[in-house]
Amino acid sequence: MSAVEDQKAVLQELLKVGAKTQFGKDHGLDKVKTYEEFRDAVPVRDYEQFKPYIELVKQGKHNILWKGQPLYFAKTSGTTSGIKYIPISKDSISNHIDSARNALLCYIAETGNPGFTDGKMIFLSGSPELERIGGVPTGRLSGIVNHHVPGYLRTNQLPSYETNCIEDWETKLDAIVGETIKQDMTLISGIPPWVQMYFDRLTEVSGKKIMDLFPHFSVLVHGGVNFEPYKAKLFESIGKPIDTIETFPASEGFIAFQDTRVAEGLLLNTNSGIFFEFIPAAEISAEKPTRLSLEQVKVGENYALVITNNAGLWGYSIGDTVRFLSTNPYRLVVTGRTKHYISAFGEHVIGEEVEYSLLKAATESGVKIVEFTVAPKISRDQGKSFHEWFVEFEQIPGDLGSFIKKVDDNLRTKNIYYDDLITGNILRPLQILPLRKNAFIDYMKSVGKLGGQNKVPRLSNDRNLADALESYIIQSYS
């Protein structure tokens, strides 16, 4: 069965169950037969607009968004909505577990390397301890998934349950290092910046590269952020390049995973309880945006991702943007967040563009980037406004001015609106402010977001993060 046919079948199954819920009755889902009717009946919502239904579920009410009550709430801190409570149902939990398994099985089938299953594996995750909200066990997605690690992996899994329950990230990291430093680690999984912290701490304690500590370490599983900005430093810490498997997990569902090492992009999970819709990126803020089903998408276009799933999310905008690299099969890359962009001057620069611009310059200049973020700097006097980049370098480029020009030129080739603004003398070229060592780690720690699933936004349309980072600028550059 093709991916498009799978999607049609998934939608029909969702409608059958959803028609009997409070949400289904409110939206007349019992009368909906086609995708076009579904699109007319169910508007696209973000968390804030969806929240009244979530609140009813949190009060312990049944059959609100899906049959019965959720199995869990995945608790996630959003950039705009504070804490979000995302339902995971008995029907949807397999999407999270089986997709991770399938990514590993695809890797084994293609490489013929099952050896990593014989050694120890670590999944850097949030605490598996759960609280109850409205009778529903609630916690971080990675902690919830920890309860469902298959038995054949459980015996080789580290760290211990007790260590995983430590809330403070740096205390937890020290405990993880203590438990793993003398083990035969073969697979390591986590969000790249926190994996890097783990590697740094291991090297600090032992004085060795990761490959010298773990000679059989052969697979790094990563997701949550674009891998490219972290790749060079991670491989340098390891001591050599190793195989990697990329995944696209979210609290709302396991969206896609790397199924091959031959083709770029991640295979969309089209037969796993999630119905996908796509909104052209230019229409993200429109009152009635164009909504496309899978068969209507085109390669190369940037889309906001909207899902309907078997946990009771309906027409839900998850906040990510994607671009398809192929439609046979449907493979995509994540290009950014719908709320993470700069368009203070009409340029609509997105995450993919700033990452490309900086990394191309870094590769050409032999420079390693630790972390970075970008914000608009609006001039209050006669000077022109510009984009201000806060960058933590492994080592600051010898000719920073030349490096800045490369980054600016790259961004101009990537975004025609930005180029027009520079050419028209409305903006002046971007500026880079080097930050001191561990600036982003220290900042994340100061706001209680160190470790776990937390990520530094690549770019913002306001100055909130930028202003907070000003105290971390290396003085000679401020």
Side-chain angles (χ1 to χ4, degrees), residues 163-428:
T163 291
N164 234 350
C165 289
I166 297 171
E167 283 295 339
D168 179 74
W169 171 245
E170 290 187 291
T171 307
K172 181 175 184 169
L173 193 57
D174 286 335
I176 290 171
V177 167
E179 284 188 9
T180 57
I181 198 164
K182 293 187 176 170
Q183 297 289 339
D184 183 21
M185 304 302 301
T186 52
L187 179 145
I188 294 170
S189 173
I191 291 178
W194 311 126
V195 173
Q196 184 64 61
M197 275 191 78
Y198 171 54
F199 287 170
D200 289 347
R201 197 65 60 93
L202 283 165
T203 298
E204 196 181 298
V205 171
S206 68
K208 296 179 180 178
K209 294 272 189 187
I210 303 305
M211 281 315 302
D212 297 327
L213 282 175
F214 308 139
H216 299 116
F217 172 38
S218 62
V219 184
L220 174 64
V221 181
H222 62 89
V225 296
N226 183 6
F227 184 60
E228 287 304 314
Y230 305 96
K231 183 177 177 180
K233 190 163 189 276
L234 282 164
F235 283 174
E236 185 191 353
S237 299
I238 293 166
K240 67 174 186 181
I242 64 164
D243 287 347
T244 60
I245 303 172
E246 185 175 0
T247 60
F248 180 7
S251 298
E252 296 86 354
F254 205 120
I255 308 300
F257 60 85
Q258 183 181 349
D259 66 316
T260 178
R261 315 191 65 67
V262 179
E264 275 190 82
L266 309 180
L267 185 70
L268 188 65
N269 233 337
T270 54
N271 192 20
S272 187
I274 304 173
F275 179 76
F276 295 101
E277 294 178 89
F278 306 89
I279 294 174
E283 299 184 41
I284 287 170
S285 303
E287 194 174 324
K288 288 199 171 179
T290 302
R291 292 164 67 177
L292 306 173
S293 64
L294 189 62
E295 62 187 316
Q296 297 170 299
V297 299
K298 292 178 181 170
V299 169
E301 299 286 325
N302 205 32
Y303 297 110
L305 188 58
V306 174
I307 71 163
T308 295
N309 74 357
N310 55 3
L313 297 176
W314 299 91
Y316 185 89
S317 176
I318 73 169
D320 289 296
T321 57
V322 299
R323 176 169 46 83
F324 282 93
L325 303 181
S326 73
T327 53
N328 186 25
Y330 285 92
R331 286 205 183 94
L332 51 75
V333 291
V334 181
T335 55
R337 299 282 294 164
T338 57
K339 290 188 168 71
H340 293 173
Y341 61 89
I342 298 178
S343 201
F345 316 99
E347 63 275 42
H348 208 91
V349 170
I350 62 172
E352 181 186 41
E353 293 166 345
V354 297
E355 286 175 342
Y356 165 86
S357 303
L358 183 62
L359 294 179
K360 186 171 187 289
T363 302
E364 290 169 356
S365 308
V367 169
K368 292 190 181 70
I369 307 297
V370 177
E371 190 63 273
F372 74 98
T373 193
V374 188
K377 179 80 168 181
I378 298 171
S379 175
R380 302 296 177 197
D381 52 33
Q382 296 305 307
K384 291 196 259 318
S385 300
F386 57 93
H387 286 187
E388 195 165 53
W389 295 51
F390 295 80
V391 182
E392 184 182 337
F393 294 98
E394 184 94 328
Q395 190 167 359
I396 297 170
D399 186 346
L400 185 60
S402 170
F403 183 80
I404 290 170
K405 185 175 186 314
K406 281 185 181 178
V407 178
D408 197 66
D409 287 345
N410 292 340
L411 187 56
R412 291 177 69 174
T413 62
K414 202 73 175 164
N415 186 302
I416 57 170
Y417 305 110
Y418 178 75
D419 183 52
D420 287 345
L421 290 166
I422 298 288
T423 306
N425 275 325
I426 294 161
L427 289 183
R428 67 181 171 102

